[in-house]
Each structure stands twice: as C-alpha cells, then as structure tokens.
Amino acid sequence: MEFTDLAPISVRDRVRAKVTFAGRLAPVPARDATDPIAARLDPELITFKENGGSVTVSPDELASAETDPLAAHEADLLLHLADAHADLVAKLTRLIDPRLMHHVIRVLPLAMDRWGITLRLEYTRHHNDVRLPFPVRLTDVAQVGPQFRALLTRANLCPRRRRLRAER
C-alpha cells in the first residue's frame, strides 16, 4: 500500500514524499452477512521516499516515532503564509545562498515541521527546495509565530539585500 504526501500549495511537482507499506493481507472476520469482504494489512516493512533518498523502518520503529506537533496544522500554516504573507516568505530568501537565487521566478513555502520551514525556489524549467531551520526545535504549534519571527529577524540583519518581486 502506498501513500503520497502532496504539498498543500500549488507548486511544480507537488509530491513531497511517498510511504510504502509492504506486508501480508489478513482477512478480517465479517460482522454479518451484509459486510463487504475486508482485509487488514500486517506491515513488515515501511519505506519512506523523500528528496531522492529512501529509508526503510520496521513497524515497531514507526509506532514509536514521535508525532510532529505541527503535523495537523502544517497545511493551514503554509496556505496562510502563501496567501497572506508572501512578502515575509520573500524576506526569508535573504537567508539563502545568493547563488541559488539567480533566475528564481517564484518562492513558496513547501513544508514546515518542528525543525524548520522548507521553501520551494522555482526557476523557469526546474526547482530547488531549501530548508531553513528554526533557531529552536518546536514542541508546540504555539511556538511557530515566535520562531518564524526569529527567522525574519535573522533575515532582516542579513547583508544579502537582493529582493524578489514580491518584496518590492
């Protein structure tokens, strides 16, 4: 069984990651004669594919993984940034190596988790994803604002003043 993680923002190549569960199908007993045929997947291997790399974990490792505090809020946060704060997203590009900013036509927030925000730099024919780590690992969604502002403060102090169209 495969699941695909799509970016909530309309960007080129919206697939951020894929998770594949491999295992055995086991029948689930019907509750009554009208129940459809049902099966349960007993996973043996779980493979995560992201950014061209992959990692395989056991079901026990997955079950013991800590849930990211932003997981349930990420889509709303990214959509809000893209729709209401494109100017702030553009300011964050001051933290990116200037060589990566040559010929950028659009910058959008692609992902956000407890560790930081990923921006999608779109060029005419390709794209590049750049990760900006938060100063401190988040433990609660209420910390997003202060940590985002800390990134903006760093960006404002950054000597790289090349501006994108959205900032003008």
Side-chain angles (χ1 to χ4, degrees):
M1 186 180 320
E2 184 174 88
F3 297 92
T4 303
D5 174 34
L6 297 176
I9 306 293
S10 180
V11 293
R12 177 187 303 136
D13 187 12
R14 290 181 65 192
V15 175
R16 298 188 300 186
K18 290 187 178 192
V19 180
T20 304
F21 289 81
R24 299 181 188 273
L25 285 177
V28 174
R31 287 178 282 179
D32 59 45
T34 63
D35 268 356
I37 298 173
R40 175 187 75 236
L41 176 66
D42 292 327
E44 295 171 3
L45 287 176
I46 299 114
T47 304
F48 294 92
K49 294 179 184 177
E50 181 181 53
N51 298 329
S54 69
V55 64
T56 301
V57 298
S58 71
D60 291 337
E61 288 174 296
L62 181 63
S64 66
E66 184 182 345
T67 301
D68 191 289
L70 303 188
H73 309 279
E74 181 198 23
D76 291 336
L77 290 166
L78 294 174
L79 288 167
H80 178 72
L81 277 174
D83 293 343
H85 300 293
D87 58 326
L88 300 181
V89 173
K91 280 185 183 181
L92 290 178
T93 64
R94 295 175 184 171
L95 299 172
I96 297 172
D97 183 335
R99 293 172 292 189
L100 295 175
M101 295 305 299
H102 290 294
H103 307 293
V104 168
I105 57 173
R106 187 167 80 149
V107 177
L108 292 166
L110 179 71
M112 187 184 300
D113 61 21
R114 73 182 103 201
W115 301 106
I117 185 168
T118 301
L119 300 180
R120 167 69 51 94
L121 308 180
E122 289 190 351
Y123 307 91
T124 304
R125 292 190 176 98
H126 67 285
H127 63 268
N128 193 6
D129 298 338
V130 177
R131 180 96 164 143
L132 299 176
F134 289 132
V136 176
R137 174 184 180 255
L138 305 182
T139 57
D140 185 84
V141 70
Q143 297 169 328
V144 170
Q147 292 304 305
F148 192 82
R149 284 190 290 283
L151 281 178
L152 287 172
T153 298
R154 275 188 40 225
N156 285 331
L157 296 173
C158 188
R160 298 180 196 127
R161 295 289 180 185
R162 188 176 191 291
R163 295 175 181 253
L164 289 174
R165 278 177 256 153
E167 240 185 303
R168 291 182 186 151

